[in-house]
Amino acid sequence: MKENYMNKPDEELELHLKPRETETVSIKIPKETLESLKKVAANRDMSIEGLLKFYIGKSLRQDLSKLFSERVLESTAQFLTRHIHSEDEIKLKEILKKAIVEVIQEQKEVMSDLMAEIMEDIALATAIKEGENTEIVSREVIFKTLSS
């Protein structure tokens, strides 16, 4: 049976990091933007690179959530098309499609946040599962990795 660390807040948590493959990229950023990034990074006690990774990850999750929402809508439409044949069913299908589109459009921010949260939870669960099978890494190594 796995230990529940939430019930033992005073115990030190051991984190297991699994290095991910990375690639170096170079981008041009306006000087004013770079200065703003430096200020925000200093305020958050982060490196500029760490802040950029944070921003990229956050925006990427939002965009992926939007794509996921669009796929759900499309899959729903395809499902309804395959399973609805009578005239009343076709009218019902159109009503349902309109309702789903309205909900997604009106609650775009909520849907995006929800999908981002779901993806973060899945990523965290996957990271925890992977971490259970890797070697233990010291706290210093973790913070050094996060700040680079």
Side-chain angles (χ1 to χ4, degrees):
M1 182 182 206
K2 300 214 184 248
E3 294 183 54
N4 184 346
Y5 290 102
M6 299 300 283
N7 295 334
K8 303 175 185 177
D10 295 335
E11 287 188 23
E12 188 169 327
L13 180 63
E14 295 176 353
L15 295 177
H16 303 270
L17 293 180
K18 183 176 183 179
R20 296 187 296 177
E21 188 176 336
T22 61
E23 187 172 330
T24 301
V25 295
S26 177
I27 59 172
K28 291 184 179 184
I29 300 175
K31 288 183 180 185
E32 301 83 25
T33 304
L34 186 58
E35 289 306 313
S36 296
L37 284 168
K38 287 178 182 178
K39 289 177 187 174
V40 173
N43 188 43
R44 289 181 175 228
D45 195 27
M46 298 174 75
S47 67
I48 292 174
E49 183 179 354
L51 182 64
L52 286 170
K53 287 178 183 178
F54 171 76
Y55 284 158
I56 291 168
K58 183 176 179 180
S59 294
L60 181 61
R61 284 189 299 277
Q62 288 175 343
D63 287 346
L64 289 173
S65 295
K66 183 179 176 188
L67 289 173
F68 178 77
S69 297
E70 290 169 358
R71 282 183 41 214
V72 168
L73 181 59
E74 181 61 31
S75 295
T76 303
Q78 288 174 359
F79 175 83
L80 292 172
T81 300
R82 282 194 311 267
H83 296 286
I84 295 179
H85 304 290
S86 74
E87 196 170 307
D88 287 339
E89 290 175 330
I90 292 170
K91 288 178 185 175
L92 177 62
K93 177 184 91 167
E94 290 304 316
I95 292 170
L96 285 173
K97 279 173 64 174
K98 286 179 183 176
I100 291 169
V101 168
E102 281 183 31
V103 168
I104 289 175
Q105 287 174 342
E106 289 176 7
Q107 302 296 322
K108 191 176 354 181
E109 187 74 28
V110 174
M111 291 292 289
S112 178
D113 290 347
L114 176 65
M115 291 300 123
E117 210 171 295
I118 289 169
M119 291 172 66
E120 287 173 357
D121 289 347
I122 291 169
L124 181 59
T126 302
I128 289 170
K129 188 175 180 178
E130 287 177 356
E132 290 173 345
N133 300 319
T134 59
E135 67 180 69
I136 296 174
V137 179
S138 72
R139 185 180 185 107
E140 293 78 27
V141 171
I142 293 168
F143 284 107
K144 182 179 178 186
T145 303
L146 291 173
S147 66
S148 63

